[in-house]
């Protein structure tokens, strides 16, 4: 590289820089040569004399530094261009699509599926907004200590910011949104009465709820939003969600259940205690240890000191209704009912658009048509009792992402548009549990 007083800025000497050669001794070795074109050569000594008459030595040094910077930027930019122009082992350049795929056709396809990246998401795995968490809230470790030095890990979901907008983003769930708005309005109204008329009797507002619905209908997602909304409204001090199930409470020794219930309630203070598939606690055997969990929980919740907590029981509709019938005390303790319906095909397609939009992917026209056919075929033969709803979409897209990545790496595709374009070759159907034929009448 030229340095010192032997080089001049292009403005001073009229020299021009050009790329002389681009060569690759080996695939991973690249050398960029820069030469000076002498077409406009003038006498260097005369130039130095003229420059010294009008500039000081310090300005020369400044010009030299500026030239060094410009030269370095030029070389770096040419190096990047050369790197992209290198052919791969198949003789194709980085921007060339494989198997003769036309980039212009991709532009047309993207217009047809442009809305694929404009929607939002809704399923139980959505809203993993760790970057939006309230870092000032200190949450428990999530570790339960049982007899015999046994430790059980409990999942804790941090509260999210802007829960109102997240609720609005949900696909479908119209009745859920309306019922939740009503509950929140009543809690806010109570707060207004308390501040304005502190001596007046206030409405009894129970936050404990029952979520009824099949897997993948958004129960966990709504529960997380629920806790954050209550925290935002000032009803809960933290707004986090502690996720439990039957296995969380059952230990190996007598007394583990009571110990686990008390620890879980302590963890959920200030937030939401969510018990998934709560009906499994009501085992058919009278000696089932799970049967003691809900009575213990209700006894604890009867304490007026336990006001900074909301308990949500989740599960399939029919088993949950039977659970409520067998435990009359649950009716009064859990007055809020939210029913989550299965998604329609159109709603699942909307969820698909939302999910791929998170990764900035887009379907080509042909790929979108193929995906709709695959989804409709799975929906037509689904078993309603095991159909995954939004979970099916999540699993199907994961399969597509893997296939897409494999194709990109195999064909060494580096073009920006191709890296994010999902093609028909990426769409492979996943196995779907089919409805079992009924025998008899």
């Amino acid at each position: 590289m030229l340095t010192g007083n032997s080089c001049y800025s292009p403005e001073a000497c009229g020299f021009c820089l050009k790329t002389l050669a681009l060569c690759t001794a080996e695939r991973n070795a690249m050398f960029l040569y820069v030469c000076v074109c002498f077409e406009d050569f003038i006498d260097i000594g005369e130039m130095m004399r003229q420059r010294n008459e009008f500039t000081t030595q310090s300005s020369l040094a400044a010009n030299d530094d500026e030239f060094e910077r410009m030269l370095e930027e030029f070389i770096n930019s040419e190096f990047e261009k050369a790197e992209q122009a290198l052919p791969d082992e198949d003789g194709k350049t980085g921007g060339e699509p494989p198997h003769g795929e036309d980039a212009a056709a991709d532009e047309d396809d993207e217009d047809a599926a442009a809305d694929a990246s404009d929607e939002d998401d809704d399923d139980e795995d959505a809203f993993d907004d760790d970057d939006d968490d309230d870092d000032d809230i200190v949450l428990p470790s999530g570790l339960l200590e049982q007899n015999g030095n046994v430790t059980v890990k409990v999942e804790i979901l941090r509260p999210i910011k802007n829960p109102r907008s997240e609720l609005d983003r949900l696909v479908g769930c119209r009745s859920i949104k309306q019922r939740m708005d009503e509950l929140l309005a009543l809690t806010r109204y109570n707060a207004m009465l308390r501040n304005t008329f502190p001596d007046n009797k206030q409405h009894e507002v129970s936050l404990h709820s029952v979520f009824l619905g099949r897997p993948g209908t958004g129960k966990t997602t709504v529960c997380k939003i629920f806790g954050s909304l209550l925290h935002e409204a000032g009803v809960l001090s933290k707004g986090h969600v502690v996720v439990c199930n039957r296995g969380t409470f059952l230990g190996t020794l007598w007394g583990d259940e009571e110990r686990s219930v008390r620890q879980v309630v302590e963890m959920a203070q200030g937030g939401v205690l969510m018990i998934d598939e709560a009906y499994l606690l009501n085992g058919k055997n009278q000696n089932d240890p799970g049967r003691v969990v809900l009575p213990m929980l209700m006894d604890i919740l009867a304490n007026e000191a336990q006001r900074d907590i909301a308990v949500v029981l989740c599960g399939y509709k029919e088993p949950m209704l039977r659970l409520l019938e067998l435990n009359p005390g649950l009716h009064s303790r859990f007055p809020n009912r939210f029913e989550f319906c299965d998604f329609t095909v159109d709603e699942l397609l909307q969820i698909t658009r939302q999910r791929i939009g998170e990764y900035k992917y887009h379907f080509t026209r042909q790929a979108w048509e193929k995906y709709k056919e695959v989804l409709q075929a799975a929906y037509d033969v689904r078993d309603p009792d095991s159909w995954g709803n939004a979970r099916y979409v999540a699993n199907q897209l994961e399969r597509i992402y893997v296939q897409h990545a494999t194709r990109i790496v195999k064909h060494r595709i580096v073009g920006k548009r191709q890296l994010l374009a999902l093609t028909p070759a990426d769409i492979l159907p996943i196995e779907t549990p089919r409805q079992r034929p009924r025998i008899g009448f």
Side-chain angles (χ1 to χ4, degrees), residues 409-429:
V409 173
K410 179 179 180 181
H411 297 292
R412 305 175 186 274
I413 301 173
V414 297
K416 291 183 178 180
R417 294 178 61 83
Q418 287 77 20
L419 283 175
L420 297 177
L422 302 176
T423 69
D426 301 329
I427 302 173
L428 297 178

Short mmCIF file of all heavy atoms in Angstrom, two decimals, residues 409-429:
data_model
loop_
_atom_site.label_atom_id
_atom_site.label_comp_id
_atom_site.label_asym_id
_atom_site.label_seq_id
_atom_site.Cartn_x
_atom_site.Cartn_y
_atom_site.Cartn_z
N VAL A 409 -28.25 -24.60 1.80
CA VAL A 409 -26.87 -25.00 2.03
C VAL A 409 -26.38 -25.93 0.92
O VAL A 409 -25.24 -25.80 0.44
CB VAL A 409 -26.72 -25.66 3.41
CG1 VAL A 409 -25.33 -26.24 3.59
CG2 VAL A 409 -27.03 -24.66 4.52
N LYS A 410 -27.21 -26.86 0.52
CA LYS A 410 -26.81 -27.83 -0.50
C LYS A 410 -26.47 -27.16 -1.81
O LYS A 410 -25.49 -27.52 -2.48
CB LYS A 410 -27.94 -28.85 -0.70
CG LYS A 410 -27.64 -29.89 -1.76
CD LYS A 410 -28.79 -30.89 -1.89
CE LYS A 410 -28.50 -31.93 -2.97
NZ LYS A 410 -29.64 -32.88 -3.12
N HIS A 411 -27.25 -26.17 -2.21
CA HIS A 411 -27.05 -25.51 -3.50
C HIS A 411 -26.25 -24.22 -3.37
O HIS A 411 -26.13 -23.48 -4.35
CB HIS A 411 -28.40 -25.23 -4.16
CG HIS A 411 -29.18 -26.46 -4.48
ND1 HIS A 411 -28.78 -27.37 -5.44
CD2 HIS A 411 -30.33 -26.95 -3.95
CE1 HIS A 411 -29.66 -28.36 -5.50
NE2 HIS A 411 -30.61 -28.14 -4.61
N ARG A 412 -25.74 -23.94 -2.18
CA ARG A 412 -24.85 -22.79 -1.97
C ARG A 412 -25.51 -21.48 -2.43
O ARG A 412 -24.90 -20.67 -3.14
CB ARG A 412 -23.51 -22.98 -2.68
CG ARG A 412 -22.79 -24.26 -2.29
CD ARG A 412 -21.53 -24.43 -3.13
NE ARG A 412 -20.89 -25.71 -2.87
CZ ARG A 412 -20.02 -25.94 -1.91
NH1 ARG A 412 -19.69 -24.95 -1.11
NH2 ARG A 412 -19.50 -27.14 -1.73
N ILE A 413 -26.73 -21.28 -2.04
CA ILE A 413 -27.46 -20.08 -2.42
C ILE A 413 -27.14 -18.97 -1.42
O ILE A 413 -27.26 -19.15 -0.22
CB ILE A 413 -28.97 -20.35 -2.44
CG1 ILE A 413 -29.28 -21.48 -3.43
CG2 ILE A 413 -29.75 -19.09 -2.81
CD1 ILE A 413 -30.71 -21.93 -3.40
N VAL A 414 -26.72 -17.80 -1.92
CA VAL A 414 -26.39 -16.69 -1.04
C VAL A 414 -27.14 -15.42 -1.41
O VAL A 414 -26.98 -14.40 -0.75
CB VAL A 414 -24.86 -16.41 -1.06
CG1 VAL A 414 -24.09 -17.59 -0.52
CG2 VAL A 414 -24.39 -16.06 -2.47
N GLY A 415 -27.94 -15.45 -2.46
CA GLY A 415 -28.72 -14.27 -2.82
C GLY A 415 -29.70 -13.91 -1.72
O GLY A 415 -30.35 -14.78 -1.14
N LYS A 416 -29.83 -12.63 -1.42
CA LYS A 416 -30.66 -12.19 -0.30
C LYS A 416 -32.11 -12.61 -0.48
O LYS A 416 -32.77 -13.06 0.46
CB LYS A 416 -30.56 -10.67 -0.13
CG LYS A 416 -29.20 -10.20 0.36
CD LYS A 416 -29.19 -8.69 0.58
CE LYS A 416 -27.85 -8.22 1.11
NZ LYS A 416 -27.83 -6.75 1.31
N ARG A 417 -32.65 -12.48 -1.67
CA ARG A 417 -34.05 -12.82 -1.90
C ARG A 417 -34.27 -14.31 -1.77
O ARG A 417 -35.26 -14.76 -1.20
CB ARG A 417 -34.48 -12.33 -3.29
CG ARG A 417 -34.49 -10.82 -3.44
CD ARG A 417 -34.87 -10.43 -4.86
NE ARG A 417 -36.19 -10.92 -5.20
CZ ARG A 417 -37.33 -10.29 -4.89
NH1 ARG A 417 -37.28 -9.16 -4.21
NH2 ARG A 417 -38.48 -10.77 -5.26
N GLN A 418 -33.34 -15.11 -2.30
CA GLN A 418 -33.50 -16.56 -2.25
C GLN A 418 -33.37 -17.10 -0.84
O GLN A 418 -33.96 -18.12 -0.49
CB GLN A 418 -32.48 -17.25 -3.17
CG GLN A 418 -32.76 -17.11 -4.66
CD GLN A 418 -32.38 -15.74 -5.19
OE1 GLN A 418 -31.59 -15.03 -4.57
NE2 GLN A 418 -32.94 -15.36 -6.32
N LEU A 419 -32.58 -16.42 0.01
CA LEU A 419 -32.38 -16.89 1.37
C LEU A 419 -33.67 -16.88 2.18
O LEU A 419 -33.83 -17.65 3.13
CB LEU A 419 -31.33 -16.03 2.08
CG LEU A 419 -29.86 -16.30 1.71
CD1 LEU A 419 -28.95 -15.30 2.40
CD2 LEU A 419 -29.46 -17.72 2.08
N LEU A 420 -34.60 -16.00 1.83
CA LEU A 420 -35.85 -15.85 2.60
C LEU A 420 -37.08 -16.30 1.83
O LEU A 420 -38.20 -16.12 2.31
CB LEU A 420 -36.02 -14.40 3.04
CG LEU A 420 -34.94 -13.85 3.98
CD1 LEU A 420 -35.19 -12.38 4.28
CD2 LEU A 420 -34.91 -14.65 5.27
N ALA A 421 -36.90 -16.88 0.65
CA ALA A 421 -38.02 -17.32 -0.17
C ALA A 421 -38.31 -18.80 0.06
O ALA A 421 -37.46 -19.65 -0.19
CB ALA A 421 -37.73 -17.06 -1.65
N LEU A 422 -39.50 -19.12 0.55
CA LEU A 422 -39.93 -20.50 0.74
C LEU A 422 -40.56 -21.00 -0.54
O LEU A 422 -41.53 -20.41 -1.04
CB LEU A 422 -40.91 -20.60 1.90
CG LEU A 422 -40.41 -20.08 3.25
CD1 LEU A 422 -41.52 -20.14 4.30
CD2 LEU A 422 -39.20 -20.86 3.71
N THR A 423 -40.03 -22.05 -1.10
CA THR A 423 -40.46 -22.58 -2.39
C THR A 423 -41.24 -23.87 -2.20
O THR A 423 -41.23 -24.46 -1.12
CB THR A 423 -39.24 -22.82 -3.29
OG1 THR A 423 -38.48 -23.93 -2.75
CG2 THR A 423 -38.34 -21.59 -3.36
N PRO A 424 -41.90 -24.37 -3.26
CA PRO A 424 -42.63 -25.64 -3.15
C PRO A 424 -41.74 -26.80 -2.69
O PRO A 424 -42.22 -27.72 -2.02
CB PRO A 424 -43.16 -25.87 -4.56
CG PRO A 424 -43.30 -24.49 -5.13
CD PRO A 424 -42.15 -23.71 -4.57
N ALA A 425 -40.45 -26.77 -3.06
CA ALA A 425 -39.55 -27.84 -2.66
C ALA A 425 -39.35 -27.89 -1.14
O ALA A 425 -38.94 -28.92 -0.61
CB ALA A 425 -38.20 -27.68 -3.35
N ASP A 426 -39.63 -26.79 -0.46
CA ASP A 426 -39.43 -26.74 0.99
C ASP A 426 -40.61 -27.32 1.77
O ASP A 426 -40.50 -27.55 2.97
CB ASP A 426 -39.22 -25.28 1.45
CG ASP A 426 -38.02 -24.64 0.78
OD1 ASP A 426 -37.07 -25.37 0.48
OD2 ASP A 426 -38.05 -23.42 0.56
N ILE A 427 -41.73 -27.54 1.12
CA ILE A 427 -42.95 -27.92 1.82
C ILE A 427 -43.15 -29.42 1.76
O ILE A 427 -43.47 -29.98 0.70
CB ILE A 427 -44.17 -27.19 1.23
CG1 ILE A 427 -43.95 -25.68 1.32
CG2 ILE A 427 -45.44 -27.60 1.95
CD1 ILE A 427 -45.01 -24.87 0.63
N LEU A 428 -42.94 -30.08 2.87
CA LEU A 428 -43.18 -31.52 3.00
C LEU A 428 -44.20 -31.73 4.12
O LEU A 428 -43.99 -31.26 5.23
CB LEU A 428 -41.88 -32.26 3.32
CG LEU A 428 -40.77 -32.20 2.26
CD1 LEU A 428 -39.54 -32.95 2.75
CD2 LEU A 428 -41.25 -32.78 0.95
N PRO A 429 -45.29 -32.42 3.85
CA PRO A 429 -46.32 -32.62 4.89
C PRO A 429 -45.78 -33.41 6.06
O PRO A 429 -44.95 -34.31 5.90
CB PRO A 429 -47.42 -33.39 4.15
CG PRO A 429 -47.15 -33.18 2.69
CD PRO A 429 -45.67 -33.02 2.57
#
